[in-house]
Amino acid sequence: HLFEQIHKVLWEKIRRGEIVPGQRLKDIEWAQRLGVRRTPVREAMRKMQQEGVLIPLAQGGYEVRGTSRRDLIELYRCRAALEALATEDAAARAGDAEVAKLERLVTQCDDAIATGDLDAAFTHNSAFHKVIVDMSGNTHLQGLRESLQKLVFFYRSSLLMMSKDDAGNRAEYIARLRIKQDHHRAILDALRSKDAARAGTLMCDHVRETAEDLLPAVPETESNPANERGAA
């Protein structure tokens, strides 16, 4: 469907920092930019509203969700709990093929870090988590995590953009990535040995620490655009 293609385009623009928190979006303007009808753009933006990244404005159109430290911490507490449970379930189902897939992702991320390819490292890092959640076989957990994932992506993209634009931030980001890789290897080792409790604890700690890494990229406080502008 065309609206799904437009949805992907808008998310990619967020990832690249071409659409930023606080920016206003109107379907008619983006329809003109993309050379498409207004209806599929409206549908794509409604989906992004459901995902939590766009806030409807009373006067029409949307505003890109602002970021706040409180929101980030609450979001990652939910993510940590869900992924810890998924990792525990995955431990019982981790066969040779699944373990090999995770090992490849860790190696690919190592290679990306070594060459300074932050986009590739970001992709492989994210894939590691998705594979584990998929391994769990728990469709309820998978659905709940999917509903959070777009907002998680939104925050992580903010940090990635900040890190790419500043040499000091870039070096710090790469250093943190290397630490995350050590976490991933420890989680993989626990999965390989089918130690569900240890794997779940490691994943929970790993995700919570990731939230702490993201905090510098988020302002101390953030006003609520929906409340201030009377969004419907």
Side-chain angles (χ1 to χ4, degrees):
H1 295 120
L2 181 58
F3 92 90
E4 292 176 339
Q5 296 175 23
I6 295 168
H7 176 263
K8 290 180 180 178
V9 167
L10 293 175
W11 267 110
E12 180 62 18
K13 289 185 177 297
I14 288 175
R15 188 187 72 79
R16 295 200 302 258
E18 296 175 21
I19 295 177
V20 298
Q23 182 173 335
R24 293 189 178 187
L25 305 180
K26 291 186 177 181
D27 53 23
I28 188 169
E29 293 176 357
W30 278 92
Q32 293 171 350
R33 289 191 192 188
L34 299 173
V36 297
R37 292 178 295 108
R38 188 175 179 181
T39 299
V41 177
R42 185 185 302 120
E43 291 175 349
M45 289 184 175
R46 283 176 180 166
K47 183 175 181 180
M48 295 177 76
Q49 177 191 345
Q50 294 170 354
E51 292 166 340
V53 75
L54 293 186
I55 299 171
L57 300 175
Q59 64 269 39
Y62 296 88
E63 181 168 288
V64 181
R65 181 189 186 98
T67 57
S68 74
R69 294 191 173 194
R70 177 178 176 179
D71 188 47
L72 170 68
I73 292 169
E74 291 175 350
L75 174 65
Y76 267 74
R77 285 184 66 197
C78 294
R79 182 189 172 196
L82 288 172
E83 291 203 21
L85 290 172
T87 306
E88 289 179 8
D89 288 350
R93 304 165 64 94
D96 292 342
E98 291 77 15
V99 168
K101 186 172 185 178
L102 291 171
E103 288 175 336
R104 283 195 299 273
L105 286 169
V106 171
T107 299
Q108 289 169 339
C109 194
D110 280 337
D111 293 341
I113 293 170
T115 59
D117 188 343
L118 299 190
D119 287 314
F122 182 92
T123 298
H124 298 316
N125 183 289
S126 299
F128 181 89
H129 287 264
K130 186 178 186 305
V131 167
I132 290 177
V133 173
D134 290 345
M135 280 170 57
S136 74
N138 188 325
T139 56
H140 299 291
L141 279 174
Q142 290 165 357
L144 289 169
R145 181 184 181 273
E146 183 64 25
S147 69
L148 293 177
Q149 193 57 24
K150 290 296 184 181
L151 287 178
V152 168
F153 178 87
F154 180 60
Y155 274 100
R156 291 183 65 201
S157 294
S158 297
L159 177 61
L160 178 61
M161 289 306 302
M162 183 183 76
S163 300
K164 289 168 69 175
D165 292 340
D166 181 271
N169 287 334
R170 182 185 181 90
E172 184 178 347
Y173 183 79
I174 290 174
R176 284 198 296 262
L177 275 176
R178 291 195 173 101
I179 294 172
K180 301 307 177 192
Q181 284 290 92
D182 290 338
H183 294 176
H184 282 189
R185 277 185 276 269
I187 292 167
L188 178 56
D189 182 64
L191 289 171
R192 190 185 292 110
S193 61
K194 298 190 180 299
D195 188 339
R198 178 168 171 263
T201 297
L202 288 170
M203 179 61 81
C204 184
D205 292 344
H206 168 63
V207 173
R208 282 177 173 259
E209 186 173 310
T210 299
E212 295 176 6
D213 289 344
L214 289 168
L215 286 177
V218 181
E220 290 283 355
T221 59
E222 173 67 29
S223 59
N224 187 330
N227 290 340
E228 290 185 1
R229 298 178 178 85

